[in-house]
Amino acid sequence: PDPSSNTPSNPHIIWSEIMENRRKPASLAATLDINCDCKEYVLDYLLHSFPTQLHESFSDGDGNLASRPAFDDGGNPIQCRESVERRDRLIEQLAAMEPVQGALDQLVQRFGTDMVAEVTGRSRRIVRKVDGAGERFAVENRPGHANLAEAQAFMEDKKQILVFSDAGGTGRSYHADLGSRNQRLRHHYLLEAGWKADTAIQGLGRTNRTNQAQPPLFRPVATDVQAERRFLSTIARRLDTLGAITRGQRQTGGQGLFRPEDNLESPYARDALRQLYLLIYAGKVEHCSLGTFEAMTGLSLTDGSGCLKDELPPITTFLNRLLALTIAMQNVLFTVFEQLLSAKVDSAIAGGTYDLGLETLTADSFAVTDSQTIYTHPSTGAETRLLTIAMRDRNRPLDLAKGLDLLREPGAKLLINTRSKRAAVQLPARSLMLDDGEVERRVRLVRPMERLNFALGHMPETSWEPADEATFSAAWQTEIAGLEEFTTSELHIVTGLLLPIWKRLPEESTRVYRLQTDDGARIIGRRVSPAWAASVLPNDAPALSPPQALALLREGHAHLNLADGLQLRRSRLMQANRIELTGFAPTAVDRLKSMGLFSEIVSWKLRLFVPDDAVTGSAALERLFERHPLTRIADRKAA
């Protein structure tokens, strides 16, 4: 801290208010003839470790020039007068500083012992007293049974604030117990995360227990030092695990406090770290060259020949070395690392491969339309069932007024698709860092029922063109008028006994879902694709209506094989998903286009697509199925 200020150099939010209220009585601490800080340790370190001895140059037996401490003729070390003066001046300056109190003392002195219950291992503490003589600081002895009495006072609502340390975080409960008087909402601040996540999780578990009136609200306190997220990352991961164990849902433990990219020990973080190493090796990280990184962290990324190593430092080693860097270098490296990690997580979420644990599905209606047994345990008779569930969601399009309000955003534009006659509002989106370190600028297209992200460089290749407000409004209203009130889709869930057939379930998604049907039945299980469901229960010919086929193709988890060698699949073209028909003969192009399909020439090759609109797309599929019946629903990987 600055010797002329009583405020810590990096105050926490609650510290700022506390320090403002203690500036007036701060000088009272000088009246106490005790050591109330760690100043003696710092002064002792300076006295014995500050470099004051002179060194001299010499040549070793191999002729290499080196240095060694210098001594006089009597064998006494030769001291540098300037270094001795600087050491003594620094010691004198530190000895004259006012003591900077810790967070615990600040809390107790700010709110008073009548408000704060302290459960720690301290036998003495400095408290603020107000009496007829005025305001003063005094040393207070704490008996051995003080912790028990303090905890009881908090639970009986005699004291509203509880502060406990590791010594008070074992074997005690501070939750809103239904049998205690204090059942208020606990706002649990984790002031110091510490090196061990187990200790922090144990402390957080003191206020989140069974038989409670309400769960606590966790508030980990962090500064702007990026490396501090090293500790919060592990705590975030453990909190989600705690929620999965206690409530059967990962999001319960963290209460949505942490984002997926806050977990710095995930496989996505490891992939992002390797990409960061590649960028540093290529010299594409600004203000941090390869030599600077290796010198400051002590981590070697190259071998003797100057090539990148195959076995690079792991994520835990990188995060620990990050703590030893300057704040500026921490921010440089962590900013790039966070961008790479966010891109990895966003890509996994968009692709449907990110494991979110147990999720709760919500819709206006769930109804089980089919239930079939696919496995029966030979010993217990327990069954594994494949459920077909009809899900109905109410369409909630963005109205025209809100769409036009988006024009207030910087860089907003009104667009019309010249091919589909649909309207969209173009907004700037967050840029992505590619694998080669280049930054890709992106835009977001907001439509009545969806939001699409495009690379800005690919926009000229699309059919989106600027439009005036009248044309935009007409197209927007026309699309909303054509929407149905509800969207009906179908999903398949495997429920019941899952462990014996877990390896038989599809590997592309391990998400576990739960839902409640209209008749009150609760279902928990793995969601599988229609292609996998069709392969488990083979029929002579799969039954799939055109709207169901269109919804299935939009999801992209399956391909539809038709008669005469045709196949429908979802393809990615110009940063947009399209439903493509493949396997057609050149002579069938005109007939297929008459059914409602449209053609485009991409890379000098003719390709046919199904309209993405629900009405025209379903009509085109209905005519296509009449001429080329559906023969098989194939899994995307199998196809």
Side-chain angles (χ1 to χ4, degrees):
D2 184 358
S4 62
S5 173
N6 290 327
T7 305
S9 54
N10 286 314
H12 295 285
I13 296 175
I14 192 172
W15 289 9
S16 299
E17 180 185 354
I18 295 170
M19 296 306 296
E20 289 295 330
N21 287 275
R22 68 173 289 272
R23 285 181 178 177
K24 181 179 179 181
S27 59
L28 298 177
T31 62
L32 297 175
D33 190 16
I34 62 171
N35 289 327
C36 54
D37 56 12
C38 60
K39 200 181 300 181
E40 64 271 18
Y41 301 105
V42 179
L43 298 181
D44 184 73
Y45 174 77
L46 288 175
L47 183 62
H48 296 91
S49 302
F50 195 91
T52 59
Q53 187 176 0
L54 291 176
H55 283 60
E56 61 180 358
S57 301
F58 75 99
S59 299
D60 58 14
D62 297 331
N64 298 321
L65 189 64
S67 65
R68 61 188 176 189
F71 297 90
D72 58 14
D73 296 338
N76 300 315
I78 302 175
Q79 301 289 337
C80 174
R81 294 182 179 180
E82 182 182 356
S83 298
V84 173
E85 291 178 359
R86 293 179 61 185
R87 181 197 64 187
D88 295 342
R89 191 162 55 247
L90 181 59
I91 291 176
E92 189 177 81
Q93 182 181 6
L94 291 177
M97 286 178 55
E98 292 255 354
V100 178
Q101 297 168 334
L104 179 56
D105 286 328
Q106 295 181 41
L107 288 169
V108 173
Q109 294 170 20
R110 166 64 176 86
F111 297 102
T113 55
D114 295 337
M115 183 73 68
V116 179
E118 177 185 342
V119 183
T120 63
R122 298 199 301 180
S123 59
R124 294 197 308 168
R125 63 181 179 180
I126 300 175
V127 298
R128 186 180 58 172
K129 291 183 176 296
V130 180
D131 50 23
E135 190 177 28
R136 60 188 177 88
F137 284 163
V139 178
E140 181 182 81
N141 294 321
R142 303 182 72 241
H145 57 81
N147 286 345
L148 182 61
E150 294 279 69
Q152 188 68 21
F154 175 76
M155 297 302 291
E156 292 180 357
D157 208 17
K158 296 178 180 178
K159 297 186 177 183
Q160 298 182 10
I161 301 174
L162 172 70
V163 182
F164 67 92
S165 62
D166 293 346
T170 304
R172 292 185 174 88
S173 298
Y174 310 121
H175 62 293
D177 197 319
L178 294 176
S180 64
R181 182 177 301 175
N182 184 3
Q183 298 182 11
R184 307 182 187 205
L185 173 64
R186 268 66 168 161
H187 293 264
H188 193 152
Y189 292 86
L190 178 61
L191 196 59
E192 296 176 354
W195 286 90
K196 297 178 62 177
D198 296 340
T199 305
I201 294 300
Q202 186 180 32
L204 293 173
R206 300 299 98 193
T207 55
N208 188 21
R209 308 176 76 81
T210 58
N211 195 41
Q212 61 185 358
Q214 53 188 331
L217 182 62
F218 295 139
R219 294 181 180 273
V221 179
T223 64
D224 57 353
V225 179
Q226 296 289 351
E228 191 175 6
R229 287 185 53 189
R230 165 69 176 93
F231 311 112
L232 295 182
S233 163
T234 307
I235 294 172
R237 178 171 53 85
R238 298 291 181 86
L239 270 179
D240 285 341
T241 305
L242 178 66
I245 294 174
T246 57
R247 294 289 298 276
Q249 186 174 2
R250 293 187 183 180
Q251 294 84 351
T252 303
Q255 300 175 349
L257 184 67
F258 301 99
R259 302 169 300 169
E261 54 267 29
D262 286 332
N263 185 2
L264 303 182
E265 302 176 41
S266 64
Y268 308 103
R270 290 194 291 268
D271 294 341
L273 178 62
R274 181 170 183 83
Q275 188 175 346
L276 175 63
Y277 287 152
L278 294 175
L279 296 180
I280 294 175
Y281 177 75
K284 294 185 177 181
V285 177
E286 191 175 0
H287 305 303
C288 184
S289 62
L290 176 61
T292 302
F293 177 82
E294 293 183 338
M296 297 187 71
T297 61
L299 300 176
S300 178
L301 303 183
T302 57
D303 53 20
S305 61
C307 298
L308 197 66
K309 290 182 177 179
D310 293 332
E311 296 293 333
L312 293 171
I315 182 69
T316 53
T317 303
F318 167 76
L319 293 174
N320 290 334
R321 297 296 176 88
L322 200 66
L323 297 171
L325 303 182
T326 62
I327 303 300
M329 186 55 66
Q330 287 183 25
N331 294 338
V332 168
L333 291 177
F334 212 93
T335 298
V336 179
F337 175 71
E338 190 175 32
Q339 291 177 353
L340 297 173
L341 177 57
S342 298
K344 298 289 184 184
V345 173
D346 291 343
S347 177
I349 293 177
T353 60
Y354 187 80
D355 183 13
L356 297 176
L358 181 62
E359 295 182 72
T360 302
L361 293 178
T362 58
D364 288 88
S365 173
F366 288 109
V368 178
T369 59
D370 187 38
S371 176
Q372 300 192 42
T373 302
I374 59 175
Y375 175 78
T376 303
H377 195 272
S379 300
T380 63
E383 295 182 343
T384 305
R385 304 188 67 82
L386 175 62
L387 304 180
T388 303
I389 300 175
M391 180 174 63
R392 190 175 66 167
D393 283 308
R394 182 181 300 275
N395 291 324
R396 294 179 174 86
L398 187 70
D399 57 35
L400 178 61
K402 293 182 179 180
L404 293 176
D405 284 343
L406 296 176
L407 286 176
R408 300 177 182 178
E409 300 290 335
K413 297 180 181 178
L414 300 180
L415 302 179
I416 287 290
N417 192 297
T418 57
R419 180 174 55 82
S420 63
K421 306 303 180 183
R422 297 181 300 179
V425 181
Q426 176 181 320
L427 297 174
R430 186 176 64 178
S431 301
L432 293 180
M433 180 173 289
L434 304 179
D435 292 341
D436 57 357
E438 296 294 331
V439 176
E440 181 184 74
R441 296 183 59 192
R442 299 174 67 83
V443 294
R444 176 178 292 115
L445 299 187
V446 179
R447 301 189 57 251
M449 290 293 295
E450 63 181 350
R451 286 165 174 79
L452 306 174
N453 286 345
F454 283 88
L456 183 60
H458 293 162
M459 285 297 294
E461 303 176 8
T462 65
S463 301
W464 293 103
E465 299 290 343
D468 56 76
E469 184 173 337
T471 306
F472 169 86
S473 300
W476 190 281
Q477 293 286 48
T478 301
E479 184 172 354
I480 292 179
L483 293 175
E484 298 181 357
E485 184 179 2
F486 294 93
T487 297
T488 303
S489 58
E490 193 176 66
L491 59 93
H492 301 273
I493 289 184
V494 178
T495 186
L497 187 64
L498 296 181
L499 288 180
I501 66 165
W502 189 267
K503 292 185 177 180
R504 293 172 51 190
L505 298 177
E507 298 180 358
E508 69 270 8
S509 177
T510 59
R511 296 184 184 181
V512 178
Y513 295 90
R514 64 179 171 192
L515 57 91
Q516 183 170 344
T517 61
D518 298 341
D519 55 5
R522 296 183 177 181
I523 299 172
I524 298 179
R526 281 269 304 271
R527 183 176 180 177
V528 296
S529 64
W532 189 89
S535 64
V536 173
L537 300 172
N539 298 317
D540 296 336
L544 202 64
S545 65
Q548 292 174 336
L550 187 63
L552 178 62
L553 291 169
R554 285 174 174 172
E555 293 179 358
H557 297 309
H559 299 162
L560 302 185
N561 293 339
L562 310 181
D564 303 323
L566 301 182
Q567 186 183 74
L568 289 168
R569 64 173 66 194
R570 192 184 74 176
S571 302
R572 187 74 172 174
L573 185 65
M574 291 188 297
Q575 301 294 312
N577 294 324
R578 298 191 184 183
I579 301 174
E580 183 179 6
L581 178 68
T582 61
F584 56 88
T587 56
V589 172
D590 293 338
R591 175 169 46 83
L592 294 173
K593 291 177 66 175
S594 65
M595 297 178 181
L597 281 72
F598 64 92
S599 63
E600 286 190 13
I601 298 178
V602 182
S603 299
W604 309 108
K605 181 180 179 181
L606 181 68
R607 301 171 68 171
L608 292 179
F609 301 95
V610 177
D612 189 56
D613 182 75
V615 178
T616 57
S618 299
L621 289 179
E622 183 177 4
R623 290 188 289 268
L624 184 64
F625 288 169
E626 290 177 358
R627 180 67 181 266
H628 306 278
L630 178 64
T631 60
R632 178 172 175 262
I633 303 176
D635 186 77
R636 180 177 59 181
K637 289 188 175 181

